[in-house]
Amino acid sequence: DLANSNDDFPHAVKFLLENHRFDFKDMFTVSEVFETDEKHAIALESLLGGALNNIIVPTLNDAKRAANILKEQRKGKATFIPLDKLRAKYDVIDGSLYDFVRTKPQYSALKQLLLGTVLVFDSVEEGYSTLKKERNAMGVTYDGEVITKTGFFKSGSKSKNTGVRVGLKDKIARLEKEK
């Protein structure tokens, strides 16, 4: 089933999830703990990009243990997010992407950190105009164009699967209701 497939993960991440996930109390990727509606799925995936593959673990010791497994097995590198190293709270702007993403309470600080200062816009022009006044924010359009805090602009064509990883469960639920 596509919603629960590990096929899109980088090799090291896929290896840990398929062979060592249950060696840890909790081990998930960012894409597994964040969910949103179809309207915000492309924006969320475009914004987070490769960070969707980051591995969330409870502690720094868990991260080091998983990293050692990768080293010993020569399976490559992964980025780990040890939850015990996050602050309890991060800035959140009203109406930011944070408001449109669902997650369990234990990932709230991570959601604040990654999405709390990201505003969503209909167009790049609207984004640049608003961000002139909101210096500590960045932006993303519903089509997935990203405006960084430094004013850089990331855009181009989307892959056919953009928005699938974080919006698929919502789409499946909507389609089942329509039956």
Side-chain angles (χ1 to χ4, degrees):
D1 126 351
L2 185 60
N4 297 309
S5 170
N6 291 333
D7 290 343
D8 285 340
F9 290 120
H11 181 71
V13 174
K14 185 176 178 179
F15 172 78
L16 284 173
L17 294 177
E18 291 180 352
N19 299 291
H20 294 281
R21 181 189 296 259
F22 300 108
D23 296 343
F24 296 83
K25 182 175 181 261
D26 285 310
M27 177 185 279
F28 298 99
T29 63
V30 171
S31 67
E32 292 173 304
V33 301
F34 285 175
E35 288 182 21
T36 193
D37 55 34
E38 287 181 73
K39 180 178 181 181
H40 294 90
I42 291 173
L44 180 62
E45 281 198 19
S46 296
L47 171 78
L48 293 179
L52 289 167
N53 301 317
N54 292 355
I55 297 174
I56 304 165
V57 290
T59 68
L60 179 58
N61 283 336
D62 290 324
K64 292 180 350 187
R65 197 162 54 101
N68 282 332
I69 291 170
L70 291 177
K71 288 176 190 174
E72 290 167 5
Q73 300 293 317
R74 298 189 192 283
K75 294 295 183 180
K77 293 185 178 201
T79 300
F80 299 94
I81 302 172
L83 293 176
D84 68 339
K85 294 301 175 187
L86 298 180
R87 294 192 327 236
K89 290 192 102 166
Y90 294 89
D91 292 337
V92 175
I93 299 171
D94 284 340
S96 66
L97 190 53
Y98 172 89
D99 293 333
F100 303 99
V101 173
R102 299 174 301 279
T103 194
K104 292 180 180 175
Q106 66 260 39
Y107 306 114
S108 181
L110 179 61
K111 185 172 109 169
Q112 291 170 15
L113 175 64
L114 296 178
L115 308 175
T117 59
V118 179
L119 300 175
V120 186
F121 302 104
D122 289 316
S123 70
V124 171
E125 294 76 20
E126 178 191 6
Y128 273 106
S129 175
T130 302
L131 293 173
K132 282 182 190 174
K133 301 168 227 139
E134 253 329 320
R135 292 278 180 210
N136 291 324
M138 62 185 296
V140 63
T141 66
Y142 291 106
D143 289 332
E145 297 170 306
V146 178
I147 304 166
T148 68
K149 288 182 182 179
T150 56
F152 296 168
F153 173 56
K154 177 181 170 187
S155 185
S157 66
K158 299 180 281 258
S159 81
K160 66 179 177 146
N161 291 331
T162 301
V164 169
R165 289 173 67 186
V166 294
L168 187 60
K169 289 176 186 171
D170 187 67
K171 188 172 189 169
I172 289 169
R174 181 183 54 79
L175 291 172
E176 285 178 348
K177 281 182 186 176
E178 291 177 2
K179 281 185 179 178

